[in-house]
Amino acid sequence: RKEVEQDPGPFNVPEGATVAFNCTYSNSASQSFFWYRQDCRKEPKLLMSVYSSGNEDGRFTAQLNRASQYISLLIRDSKLSDSATYLCAVSRSNDYKLSFGAGTTVTVRA
Amino acid sequence: NAGVTQTPKFRVLKTGQSMTLLCAQDMNHEYMYWYRQDPGMGLRLIHYSVGEGTTAKGEVPDGYNVSRLKKQNFLLGLESAAPSQTSVYFCASRRSNQPQHFGDGTRLSIL
């Protein structure tokens, strides 16, 4: 079993819709969680960190469910510019490495 | 503030040639990483370093070597390039428990 797994999608949604997707992790000792955005053939860019209590950044909301070992990302009022691949990343405390999921592709259509 | 800088941005090699990819970061990060990304495969860790003078293997280290002689630089070497190493290479750096920052990638084609 992979350490971090994501539904590859694609999620095709109209502008203005809400889209949400999860990322599951296998190691219960995981402590740090992040969402990255990657545009085609570009580098991954940090979208947001995920905190235990959940956090919001504009139209983006991230949640952590430790009991079920997953994090989620919700995008409200989708824009065409939200079309991208979203990668989740997880690490254990004091671990040198981040483990990345393979990404969830979101396509927002006009 | 440049962040993470990779050179070169593009390169075409012939099978058997050697080359070195350079990654430089100006954020005083302890940890540095080299990944490759192929279509449908996600990011795969090649090698990483937890400090100056130290390196370690990731999940796909074969055919690559690395060096970290200075804290700010992490070099990835291909001694004898093979077509299977055609890929996009990303360097990243971070502090402990903090997110990684990526360079903008090197697109390498091996003929």
Side-chain angles (χ1 to χ4, degrees):
Chain A
R1 183 185 174 186
K2 292 182 181 179
E3 190 165 349
V4 181
E5 296 196 74
Q6 296 183 248
D7 181 345
F11 287 77
N12 293 302
V13 299
E15 271 187 295
T18 295
V19 60
F21 41 90
N22 295 339
C23 164
T24 59
Y25 59 95
S26 61
N27 194 317
S28 60
S30 298
Q31 292 291 330
S32 300
F33 307 91
F34 309 98
W35 281 107
Y36 284 79
R37 171 197 170 118
Q38 186 173 29
D39 295 294
C40 186
R41 298 179 64 78
K42 298 288 185 71
E43 77 276 21
K45 292 184 178 179
L46 180 68
L47 181 65
M48 57 198 303
S49 301
V50 185
Y51 303 117
S52 297
S53 56
N55 48 299
E56 192 174 296
D57 183 359
R59 298 180 293 105
F60 298 84
T61 301
Q63 296 281 353
L64 168 63
N65 186 316
R66 286 193 184 275
S68 300
Q69 295 185 200
Y70 70 87
I71 61 174
S72 64
L73 183 67
L74 182 146
I75 307 173
R76 286 187 303 277
D77 188 23
S78 299
K79 311 291 184 190
L80 294 176
S81 58
D82 294 333
S83 297
T85 296
Y86 292 85
L87 308 174
C88 65
V90 174
S91 75
R92 289 165 284 174
S93 180
N94 297 322
D95 194 352
Y96 300 125
K97 297 173 288 181
L98 277 182
S99 296
F100 284 86
T104 295
T105 298
V106 173
T107 302
V108 182
R109 62 182 187 274
Chain B
N1 190 348
V4 180
T5 303
Q6 291 183 232
T7 53
K9 299 286 188 287
F10 304 92
R11 186 73 183 268
V12 179
L13 290 178
K14 294 181 180 178
T15 297
Q17 287 185 315
S18 63
M19 78 161 295
T20 301
L21 282 65
L22 171 63
C23 176
Q25 53 95 3
D26 61 3
M27 298 173 283
N28 201 33
H29 287 171
E30 285 296 328
Y31 308 154
M32 296 187 74
Y33 310 84
W34 275 107
Y35 295 88
R36 61 177 290 174
Q37 188 173 38
D38 303 294
M41 297 290 290
L43 291 164
R44 291 189 290 170
L45 183 64
I46 304 171
H47 286 281
Y48 64 100
S49 169
V50 301
E52 183 177 316
T54 69
T55 63
K57 294 180 179 180
E59 58 182 298
V60 289
D62 294 343
Y64 305 94
N65 56 75
V66 288
S67 65
R68 186 133 179 240
L69 299 179
K70 294 183 178 180
K71 185 177 184 179
Q72 63 267 35
N73 296 337
F74 194 30
L75 279 62
L76 178 71
L78 285 73
E79 290 187 346
S80 179
S84 61
Q85 294 177 304
T86 293
S87 189
V88 180
Y89 292 84
F90 290 108
C91 176
S93 70
R94 69 189 284 242
R95 287 196 181 93
S96 178
N97 296 326
Q98 295 299 307
Q100 282 179 192
H101 299 266
F102 286 85
D104 56 7
T106 296
R107 283 148 186 81
L108 184 60
S109 292
I110 299 160
L111 307 177

